[in-house]
Amino acid sequence: MADEQVAGAQSDAPDILVRVKAVDKVFKRGSEEVHVLGGLDLEIPRGEFLALMGPSGSGKSTLLNLIGGLDRPTEGQVEVGGQRIDKLSNRKLASWRARHVGLVFQFYNLMPVLTAQKNVELPLLLTPLSRSERKTHAVNALDIVGLANRNKHYPRQLSGGEQQRVGIARAIATDPTLLLCDEPTGDLDRKAGDEILDLLQALNREQGKTIIMVTHDIHAAARATRTLYLNKGQLTSEPIE
Amino acid sequence: MKYLYLVWSNLKRRKMRTILTLLSIMVAFLLFGYLGAIRQAFSQGVDVAGVDRLIVRHKVSIIQLLNESYEPRIERLPGVANATHQTWFGGIYQEPRNFFAQIVVNQDEFLDFYPEYIVSDEHKEAWLATRTGALVGSGLLKRFGWEVGDRIPINATAWRRKDGAPTWEFDLVAVYEGAEQGTDTSQFFFRYDYFEESRAGGSGLVGWYVVRVEDPDNAAEVAAAIDNEFANSPAETKSEPEGAFVQGFANQIGNIGLIMTAIISAVFFTILLVAGNTMAYAVRERTNELAVLKAIGFTDRGVLGLVLGESLVLAGIGGVLGMVLAWLLISMGDPTGGSFPTFYMPADSVFLAVLLIFGMAFVAGILPALQAQRLQIADALRR
Ligand SMILES: Nc1ncnc2c1ncn2[C@@H]1O[C@H](COP(=O)(O)OP(=O)(O)OP(=O)(O)O)[C@@H](O)[C@H]1O
Ligand SMILES: [Mg+2]
């Protein structure tokens, strides 16, 4: 599953991993309709580290959910790795997510009843790996995020930054192509946030992960290879206002 | 199986709640298991009744006696293999609470009718050779700590002695074991010849007849033929299969089965609410986590399975603990101190308990599980 083309590949026709075409997303709140995304287009080359910014409520999380197969567009197409994921059945979509996407959340979303290692093993339960293989993979992932020695600890015994690193370990445990991070540093102080960004940057550069990161922080966005702004349902490359 | 750890971890999340729920489920199954043994004790004999045996009694009631001359008349009827008479003695051993059945039988024929009573040849001979001899069930022997060779005094109630003595004395010469777990080993049999020569009144009268039919399939016709034989006589009879007879006897105390079913149903209904409530909370407070599981690739059905699995583990642990506890209590002995002919956990209780565990797990878990299954990831993650 290693990406043939890693970050910064400069061929004439870049290998597009994510292709969002003419996507509308409308939420119904009772009788009221909320148009969040309207005719949105986006192409993300393999190996890119994309920062997604924009005002609160502009639809950043919504877009991320569509690309990660957590939600479906009202209109339009979402293609990842050449596959129309908006067309997949719920069941197929679930197993597609398990294989191709790693998710990192603002509030880590770890299972409080599981140790760090068991949290990282969660997505591996969905693979045919044996018990000992799962353990090896989980320990490796924890090693990558620098928490190999905390594998027996429960989330409540870890700092926010450490919890987020466990979250990242969980996201990369199955070695997915695509990492989707929704405000991964939003709940962390500067120092812990920087460590997380270092980690994401390293994953992008050294392991060729394609990363989409939603953030409100320009310092965080500065770590990305490209930044896009979402406003009024559209993407722009310059901030508005 | 690899998901069991996840299910188990979730149950450990609210230890107190899990323990309380487990305890209530356990109590329900304890009650279920224990009452099962009691019901079994009351209906004792029904399951193990000989299919080829009929009981012929006075039409009015079992207390009314029949003439001993009926025996050859019954035996002459087609389809009858053999008939023997028995009489209820109803004496008291030391004090009334020591109740057990004392039955007068024809020692020459008796054991031919009851292959489920196992007696050694030595004991058999001793009984045939001793006029005052008694044949005692192994359970009864144990209950009172008797030994072969003991002299057992039993105070007469209905049956006075000719000599005016208040007590009948018997020599314990033989013991029978039950061939099966359900065989009644709490009875005390003694000889008709001794009874007949010593009783003050009622000479020539016996309690009822046991009839062995040649073909169990014809039992109903044979029963009808017997009742027909004595129709319009001063003592008409009522013949029925032994199982029905025993059941009717048990029903005199009340419909035990129905009462117990009612109690158990009420208890299980309550526990179902407790378990259902626990599962509903377990899902509601974990909406976010369930959504995360789905986000990382668990299918809707997988999440449904996890919740049902949790319900099953809860019901399973509680149910098994309850049944084991019931079994322990039951093996500590009969709550009446020995008046039940048998007291054990019947196999069908165990089987039913397994069904109840699955049923309870399903009913308590299905609604929360469906709720978890329907959970929309994007919605749930916003909460
Ligand atoms: N499931 C939903 N049902 C109804 N409305 C929704 C739903 N999800 C999002 N919305 C609405 O869509 C809009 C965009 O939401 P979204 O969460 O994508 O914004 P965001 O850019 O991520 O904001 P923030 O920076 O605050 O996280 C908001 O107005 C929100 O209320
Ligand atoms: Mg958001």
Side-chain angles (χ1 to χ4, degrees), chain B residues 357-380:
Chain B
I357 285 173
F358 279 95
M360 174 179 264
F362 183 79
V363 177
I366 189 64
L367 285 181
L370 284 173
Q371 198 186 337
Q373 184 191 29
R374 287 196 213 102
L375 208 61
Q376 295 293 316
I377 307 169
D379 281 347

Side-chain angles (χ1 to χ4, degrees), chain A residues 72-125:
Chain A
R72 293 166 190 280
T74 314
E75 290 291 340
Q77 306 181 0
V78 180
E79 198 182 292
V80 180
Q83 182 145 35
R84 280 287 300 276
I85 62 166
D86 54 302
K87 291 272 200 207
L88 293 175
S89 68
N90 276 348
R91 193 188 179 78
K92 288 225 172 84
L93 195 57
S95 79
W96 177 84
R97 284 196 301 271
R99 273 177 292 132
H100 297 292
V101 190
L103 296 165
V104 179
F105 305 91
Q106 178 176 359
F107 300 107
Y108 334 125
N109 280 340
L110 302 175
M111 302 278 152
V113 292
L114 299 180
T115 59
Q117 185 193 316
K118 290 288 179 186
N119 264 291
V120 177
E121 278 185 35
L122 267 182
L124 297 169
L125 288 174

